[in-house]
């Protein structure tokens, strides 16, 4: 099995990698490498623009995204955790990563994925073919993706996709209910 160090090197060289997050198994690549992003779209069968990036801490979020003071308070309560937030992008990622100038961002509560993104952000999207259930383990991922990816073991995901919250509008908007829901979520976003 691949080590974190080998996985980071493989990402820099353009490889796709399947790895655990706190929510589900993810598949990712370098968000600045157009060939890698194109390959990810191809093997997932994804057509619509917009992918999430995974970063390893809140302090670097402002390097990639515009964050209002109101949103900063929400983000501090959400991260790290089973949430994806949509923010205005400040950088030019490979084509297909952003949608309408926005980028989705995750900071999972998972040591493996955080370590993987130590040097640079990585793409994080569910490890599945578009429209099919997310893989439940590495063996299932290998059956689906074969030699097109590198595989990284780590802490087992809970199996529920992240909650997605759009922070680009006047008020936070829940786009998808996932692993974080109920009164905890309502308390954090204010409704």
């Amino acid at each position: 099995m691949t080590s974190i160090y080998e996985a980071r090197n493989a990402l820099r060289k353009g490889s796709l990698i399947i790895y655990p997050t706190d929510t589900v198994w993810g598949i990712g690549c370098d968000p600045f490498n157009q060939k890698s992003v194109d390959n990810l779209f191809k093997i997932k069968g994804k057509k619509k623009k917009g992918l999430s990036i995974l970063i390893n801490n809140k302090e670097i979020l402002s390097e990639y995204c515009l964050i209002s003071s109101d949103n900063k308070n929400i983000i501090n309560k959400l991260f790290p955790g089973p949430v994806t937030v949509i923010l205005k992008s400040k950088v030019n990622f490979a084509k297909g990563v952003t949608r309408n100038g926005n980028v989705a961002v995750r900071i999972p509560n998972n040591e493996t994925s955080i370590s993987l993104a130590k040097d640079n952000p990585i793409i994080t999207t569910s490890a599945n073919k578009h429209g099919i259930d997310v893989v439940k383990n590495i063996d299932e991922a290998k059956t689906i993706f074969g030699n097109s990816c590198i595989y990284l073991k780590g802490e087992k995901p809970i199996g529920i996709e992240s909650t997605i919250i759009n922070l680009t509008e006047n008020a936070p908007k829940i786009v998808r209910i996932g692993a974080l829901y109920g009164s905890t979520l309502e308390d954090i976003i204010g409704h």
Side-chain angles (χ1 to χ4, degrees):
M1 203 48 64
T2 307
S3 72
I4 289 283
Y5 177 78
E6 291 167 328
R8 283 191 213 123
N9 281 338
L11 286 166
R12 279 191 286 277
K13 293 176 182 173
S15 294
L16 302 183
I17 186 159
I18 290 181
Y19 57 92
T21 72
D22 52 350
T23 55
V24 296
W25 285 91
I27 184 170
C29 63
D30 178 348
F32 298 102
N33 183 321
Q34 190 64 61
K35 187 175 179 183
S36 296
V37 171
D38 290 346
N39 192 21
L40 179 63
F41 270 82
K42 182 180 173 187
I43 72 162
K44 270 190 66 97
K46 184 172 170 59
K47 305 279 187 249
K48 199 172 176 183
K49 287 182 181 181
L51 294 166
S52 299
I53 63 165
L54 186 155
I55 61 174
N56 70 343
N57 68 72
K58 293 180 275 194
E59 288 70 38
I60 64 169
L61 188 57
S62 62
E63 292 178 27
Y64 302 100
C65 306
L66 296 172
I67 307 167
S68 70
S69 56
D70 289 343
N71 287 344
K72 191 170 191 170
N73 292 331
I74 292 170
I75 288 165
N76 283 332
K77 293 175 185 174
L78 293 173
F79 287 147
V83 178
T84 302
V85 297
I86 300 170
L87 296 162
K88 292 282 182 202
S89 179
K90 283 173 67 173
V91 298
N92 291 321
F93 293 103
K95 185 178 166 220
V97 175
T98 61
R99 183 186 308 161
N100 302 324
N102 300 327
V103 65
V105 183
R106 289 226 48 219
I107 304 175
N109 189 10
N110 176 286
E111 192 56 41
T112 303
S113 50
I114 291 295
S115 295
L116 191 58
K118 177 184 172 208
D119 300 327
N120 293 299
I122 61 170
I123 294 293
T124 186
T125 186
S126 55
N128 63 318
K129 294 283 190 177
H130 188 70
I132 307 295
D133 289 343
V134 180
V135 301
K136 292 176 183 45
N137 54 52
I138 284 183
D139 291 334
E140 191 177 333
K142 285 180 178 177
T143 299
I144 294 168
F145 296 108
N147 294 329
S148 60
C149 297
I150 292 170
Y151 300 88
L152 183 63
K153 283 188 178 177
E155 309 96 307
K156 187 178 178 196
I158 61 170
I160 301 168
E161 291 179 307
S162 66
T163 296
I164 301 175
I165 303 169
N166 187 342
L167 297 177
T168 65
E169 299 172 7
N170 293 335
K173 181 181 178 190
I174 298 169
V175 176
R176 177 180 76 193
I177 293 288
L180 180 65
Y181 59 90
S183 60
T184 303
L185 178 59
E186 291 166 5
D187 289 345
I188 292 170
I189 65 170
H191 61 81

